[in-house]
C-alpha cells in the first residue's frame, strides 16, 4: 500500500507524522487518538503507513515495508497501533524491528495513579516512570541451536548502550524535577552483562548530585513494586527486566488499557500503547483507547504542542474522573455494568466533549514534562584508554556435543591440549563436571572444555587454531570462544565449582 497523506485543515503548517494503524484493535484506537488530536486543534499531516500481520502475509519477512521506512525517515515521528507477528510468518517482531531500525533506544513508560480508576494502591500517589533500554540484551535476538536439543541466546550489554539509557534516565529525572533514580539489574548473577550496566550507573550517578541514585536487584524491585510501589520515582533497567516490570507497573495503575509509552531515539520517536492487538476485541468497538490517547499526549509534548497536550490529557483525566464514559475493561475491574459499558467511539466522543475541562482530583502530578528530547550525550569512548590497555589471550572455551561419558571426554580433551595449553575443566550448563567434584549435575550431551595457558606460556592465535583443528578431528564442536584478560583482569566468568 502506498503511503497516503491527509492534512488537517488550517493555515498553520501541519506537522508531518507517520501513523501506523496496525493490527487487531489498532485501527480503532489510532482513529480515536487522531480524532482527539484533530479536535484539540493540532494540525498534523498524517502519513498513513502499514506494518505488521498483512505485510508478513504478503511475504515481507520484516513486517515493515520500505514505503513505511521511507515515511519514518521523512517524518521522524510515529504514532502506531499494536503489531502482530503471525505464527509461521517472519522471524522477528515488527515492533522490535521498528525500534531497532530507528535506534529508539529509550522506552519510556509512565505509570501513575489515575482519577476514576480504582486500584488496590489508590491514594498512595503512584507516579513512576520505567526507563527501559530498548535495543540490547536478549532482545538483540542472537540465538543459536548449539545442538538439536540445546538453544542458546546471547545477552549483549554494551558500555555505550548502558551510558545512553542511564544518561537518558538521569536527564529525564532532572527535567521532571524528580528526586530518585533506581537502577534495577541482576548484577549479582550476571556480573559481566547486568554488572556492566550497574557499574556504568554508579560511574554516572555523581554527575547528578541532586538526584538520589540507588541500585536494587531486579527481583527485589518486583517484590517492592507489589508491596510499596509509591517508593519508586524513575526506574532504569535493561531490556528484558524492563519489559517485565513495566507491564507489572501498568497492572498497578489500572491495567493495559491505561498504559502509554514512547520509544525515543536521538531525533526520532515512536509512540504506542503498551498493550498488543487484543485480537478477540478487534472490530467490536469495545476496546479502551486511553493507553494510545495518553501515548499521543506524549507525542504532542515531543512535538512541542504543550498546550494541546495538556488539554487532551486533562480531558482524558476529567472523563475518567467524571465516570460517565466507562469502557468494558474498567467496568469489569470496578464491578460495573459490563453489558452497557461505553464503546471505544463513545469514550472518544466524551473526551472530545470534555476538551477544555480540568479534573479536580488528580492525585499525582497531572502531566509529565518529558519532551523525550534525548540529550545527545555521545559516550565515554576514549581510544587512548583502550590503546594503552594490556590485553592478553589466556585461553579458549570450546563447546562440544557428545555422547561420551564426561570422564572420557575430559581425558581425551586433556590429551589434545598441546604444549602451551592445558585443559582446566569441563563444565555442563555452567557447573564444573571434570575433574569431578562429585555433585549430582545432570548432563545434556553438551559440554564446555576450558583450555588455559600453561604457566609461563604465551598463547598465540595460531595455537588456538591448531587446537581447534585437533579437537574438530575427533569431536563435534559447536562454539569456540577466546578467553582474554584486560589489564590483568579476567574478562570471563568462572563455572560453578571451578
Ligand atoms: P494484548 O495486550 O493484545 O491483550 C491481552 C489482553 O489484555 C486482552 O485480551 C484484553 O483483555 C486486555 N487488553 C489489552 N489492551 C486493552 C485495552 N486497550 N482495553 C481493554 N483491554 C485490553 O496481548 P496478547 O493477547 O498477548 O497479544 C496479542 C498480539 O499483540 C500478539 O500478536 C502480540 O505479539 C502482539 N503485541 C504487540 C505489541 C506491540 O505492538 N507493541 C505489544 C504486545 C503484544
Amino acid at each position: 500500500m502506498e503511503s497516503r497523506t491527509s492534512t488537517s485543515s488550517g493555515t498553520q503548517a501541519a506537522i508531518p507524522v507517520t501513523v501506523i494503524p496496525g493490527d487487531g484493535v489498532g485501527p480503532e484506537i489510532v482513529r480515536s487518538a487522531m480524532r482527539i488530536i484533530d479536535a484539540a486543534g493540532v494540525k498534523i499531516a498524517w502519513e498513513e503507513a502499514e506494518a505488521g500481520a498483512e505485510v508478513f502475509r504478503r511475504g515481507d519477512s520484516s513486517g515493515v515495508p520500505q514505503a513505511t521506512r521511507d515515511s519514518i525517515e521523512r517524518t521522524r515521528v510515529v504514532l502506531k497501533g499494536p503489531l502482530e507477528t503471525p505464527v509461521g510468518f517472519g522471524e522477528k517482531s515488527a515492533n522490535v524491528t521498528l525500534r531497532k531500525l530507528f535506534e529508539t533506544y529509550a522506552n519510556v513508560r509512565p505509570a501513575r495513579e489515575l482519577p476514576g480508576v480504582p486500584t488496590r494502591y489508590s491514594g498512595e500517589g503512584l507516579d513512576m516512570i520505567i526507563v527501559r533500554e530498548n535495543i540490547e540484551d536478549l532482545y538483540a535476538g542472537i540465538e543459536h541451536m548449539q545442538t538439536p536439543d540445546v538453544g542458546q541466546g546471547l545477552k549483549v550489554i554494551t558500555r555505550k548502550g548502558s551510558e545512553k539509557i542511564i544518561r537518558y534516565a538521569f536527564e529525564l529525572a532532572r527535567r521532571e524535577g524528580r528526586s530518585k533514580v533506581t537502577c534495577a539489574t541482576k548484577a549479582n548473577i550476571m556480573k559481566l552483562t547486568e554488572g556492566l550496566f550497574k557499574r556504568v550507573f554508579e560511574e554516572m550517578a555523581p554527575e547528578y548530585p541532586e538526584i538520589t541514585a540507588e541500585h536494587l536487584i531486579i527481583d527485589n524491585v518486583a517484590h517492592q513494586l507489589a508491596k510499596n510501589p509509591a517508593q519508586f520515582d524513575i526506574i532504569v533497567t535493561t531490556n528484558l527486566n524492563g519489559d517485565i516490570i513495566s507491564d507489572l507497573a501498568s497492572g498497578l495503575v489500572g491495567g493495559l488499557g491505561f498504559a502509554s509509552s514512547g520509544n525515543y531515539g536521538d531525533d526520532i520517536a515512536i509512540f504506542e500503547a503498551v498493550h498488543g492487538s487484543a485480537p478477540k476485541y478487534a472490530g467490536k468497538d469495545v476496546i479502551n483507547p486511553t493507553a494510545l490517547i495518553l501515548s499521543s499526549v506524549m507525542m504532542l509534548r515531543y512535538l512541542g504542542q504543550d498546550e494541546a497536550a495538556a488539554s487532551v490529557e486533562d480531558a482524558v483525566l476529567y472523563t475518567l474522573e467524571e465516570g460517565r464514559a466507562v469502557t468494558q475493561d474498567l467496568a469489569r475491574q470496578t464491578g460495573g455494568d459490563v453489558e452497557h459499558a461505553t464503546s471505544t467511539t463513545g469514550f472518544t466522543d466524551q473526551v472530545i466533549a470534555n476538551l477544555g475541562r480540568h479534573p479536580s482530583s488528580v492525585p499525582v502530578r497531572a502531566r509529565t514534562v518529558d519532551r523525550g528530547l534525548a540529550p545527545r550525550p555521545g559516550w565515554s569512548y576514549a581510544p587512548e584508554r583502550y590503546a594503552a590497555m594490556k590485553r592478553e589471550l589466556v585461553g579458549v572455551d570450546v563447546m562440544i556435543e557428545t555422547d561420551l561419558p564426561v570422564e572420557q571426554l575430559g581425558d581425551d580433551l586433556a590429551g589434545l591440549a598441546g604444549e602451551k595449553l592445558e585443559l582446566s575443566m569441563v563444565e555442563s550448563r555452567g557447573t564444573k563436571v571434570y575433574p569431578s567434584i562429585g555433585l549430582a549435575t545432570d548432563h545434556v550431551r553438551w559440554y564446555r572444555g576450558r583450555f588455559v595457558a600453561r604457566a609461563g606460556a604465551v598463547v598465540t592465535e595460531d595455537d588456538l587454531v591448531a587446537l581447534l583443528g585437533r579437537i574438530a578431528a575427533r569431536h563435534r564442536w559447536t562454539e569456540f570462544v577466546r578467553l582474554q584478560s584486560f589489564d590483568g583482569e579476567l574478562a570471563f566468568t568462572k563455572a560453578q565449582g571451578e
Side-chain angles (χ1 to χ4, degrees):
M1 189 177 80
E2 294 272 301
S3 289
R4 273 190 289 145
T5 304
S6 60
T7 311
S8 309
S9 57
T11 46
Q12 207 184 325
I15 307 164
V17 171
T18 300
V19 60
I20 300 175
D23 300 317
V25 298
E28 296 163 57
I29 56 174
V30 165
R31 198 180 317 122
S32 162
M34 288 170 74
R35 280 184 57 208
I36 293 169
I37 291 171
D38 197 45
V42 184
K43 295 181 179 60
I44 302 226
W46 299 104
E47 286 194 14
E48 190 177 319
E50 56 168 0
E54 259 322 297
V55 181
F56 282 117
R57 288 199 185 95
R58 280 207 312 265
D60 181 332
S61 63
S62 74
V64 184
Q66 191 57 46
T68 301
R69 298 177 192 200
D70 293 344
S71 170
I72 300 171
E73 279 284 335
R74 269 193 304 276
T75 64
R76 322 292 291 173
V77 185
V78 183
L79 182 66
K80 71 172 273 292
L83 306 179
E84 227 176 87
T85 305
V87 177
F89 294 87
E91 291 189 345
K92 304 279 183 189
S93 142
N95 295 301
V96 177
T97 299
L98 269 175
R99 291 173 197 163
K100 280 172 174 285
L101 276 179
F102 295 98
E103 194 67 30
T104 55
Y105 63 85
N107 184 269
V108 176
R109 296 187 179 181
R112 357 185 116 86
E113 190 170 331
L114 295 165
V117 184
T119 72
R120 64 189 68 193
Y121 302 98
S122 291
E124 293 185 15
L126 255 67
D127 176 17
M128 72 182 109
I129 302 182
I130 315 269
V131 177
R132 163 189 170 192
E133 200 288 322
N134 217 13
I135 306 284
E136 304 192 335
D137 199 353
L138 291 160
Y139 289 74
I142 306 169
E143 299 193 312
H144 297 95
M145 290 306 292
Q146 292 273 318
T147 80
D149 295 328
V150 177
Q152 181 183 280
L154 264 191
K155 181 174 170 82
V156 179
I157 303 286
T158 69
R159 170 170 285 276
K160 183 173 187 178
S162 305
E163 281 187 12
K164 283 171 75 172
I165 194 68
I166 291 164
R167 173 83 62 205
Y168 190 96
F170 276 118
E171 292 289 331
L172 177 59
R174 202 169 250 182
R175 280 202 299 276
E176 291 221 345
R178 287 172 178 267
S179 59
K180 186 164 74 169
V181 177
T182 304
C183 175
T185 76
K186 195 73 187 171
N188 52 331
I189 303 294
M190 288 167 265
K191 295 184 192 303
L192 301 187
T193 50
E194 296 274 311
L196 175 59
F197 195 85
K198 174 174 183 273
R199 282 197 300 283
V200 169
F201 178 78
E202 285 161 354
E203 282 167 25
M204 292 177 103
E207 293 181 45
Y208 300 87
E210 78 280 19
I211 296 165
T212 303
E214 66 172 9
H215 173 266
L216 293 182
I217 297 294
I218 185 67
D219 33 328
N220 187 22
V221 170
H223 173 227
Q224 297 293 332
L225 277 170
K227 230 176 117 187
N228 177 22
Q231 71 183 285
F232 292 110
D233 208 347
I234 286 185
I235 300 177
V236 64
T237 188
T238 48
N239 207 339
L240 179 60
N241 293 334
D243 192 4
I244 297 166
I245 62 163
S246 55
D247 266 36
L248 195 166
S250 312
L252 305 177
V253 291
L256 287 172
F258 300 93
S260 55
S261 82
N263 302 278
Y264 300 95
D266 279 342
D267 68 345
I268 205 157
I270 302 172
F271 298 89
E272 62 184 331
V274 167
H275 65 77
S277 58
K280 69 177 171 190
Y281 297 123
K284 298 203 170 126
D285 199 24
V286 296
I287 203 81
N288 181 357
T290 303
L292 194 77
I293 301 170
L294 291 178
S295 307
S296 73
V297 167
M298 294 171 82
M299 179 185 86
L300 290 175
R301 292 220 165 84
Y302 180 75
L303 295 171
Q305 302 291 316
D306 289 2
E307 230 175 273
S311 160
V312 172
E313 189 166 43
D314 278 357
V316 172
L317 297 178
Y318 184 91
T319 305
L320 294 172
E321 179 185 77
E322 181 188 42
R324 275 172 54 193
V326 177
T327 48
Q328 242 183 38
D329 56 326
L330 186 54
R332 207 169 284 122
Q333 281 174 47
T334 54
D337 185 357
V338 177
E339 286 263 304
H340 299 98
T342 310
S343 65
T344 311
T345 312
F347 185 87
T348 309
D349 292 341
Q350 194 61 37
V351 172
I352 291 172
N354 285 337
L355 282 167
R357 298 208 165 100
H358 307 285
S360 62
S361 67
V362 181
V364 292
R365 86 187 70 199
R367 52 188 118 268
T368 170
V369 293
D370 177 18
R371 288 185 179 285
L373 292 179
R376 297 176 198 208
W379 63 299
S380 67
Y381 178 62
E384 59 289 352
R385 194 169 87 211
Y386 298 95
M389 186 177 273
K390 191 163 173 242
R391 300 172 191 235
E392 272 181 296
L393 192 54
V394 297
V396 67
D397 278 347
V398 187
M399 278 59 151
I400 290 169
E401 178 187 0
T402 185
D403 282 321
L404 290 177
V406 70
E407 289 300 325
Q408 205 177 322
L409 174 70
D411 290 349
D412 198 58
L413 292 180
L416 295 173
E419 278 174 21
K420 292 196 186 164
L421 292 154
E422 62 186 348
L423 181 76
S424 75
M425 61 141 194
V426 176
E427 59 93 327
S428 171
R429 293 182 298 168
T431 303
K432 180 175 164 183
V433 290
Y434 176 97
S436 171
I437 50 173
L439 299 177
T441 312
D442 201 1
H443 293 236
V444 294
R445 303 181 56 253
W446 182 64
Y447 299 93
R448 175 164 57 124
R450 171 160 288 177
F451 297 86
V452 297
R454 291 182 190 275
V458 177
V459 178
T460 66
E461 305 288 341
D462 287 347
D463 296 326
L464 298 191
V465 173
L467 172 67
L468 182 62
R470 292 195 295 277
I471 292 173
R474 296 174 59 84
H475 299 282
R476 192 190 293 275
W477 68 277
T478 66
E479 199 175 323
F480 194 69
V481 183
R482 301 157 62 89
L483 299 179
Q484 308 174 84
S485 73
F486 301 140
D487 280 340
E489 216 168 286
L490 295 184
F492 51 93
T493 53
K494 294 199 165 175
Q496 297 287 350
E498 188 179 358

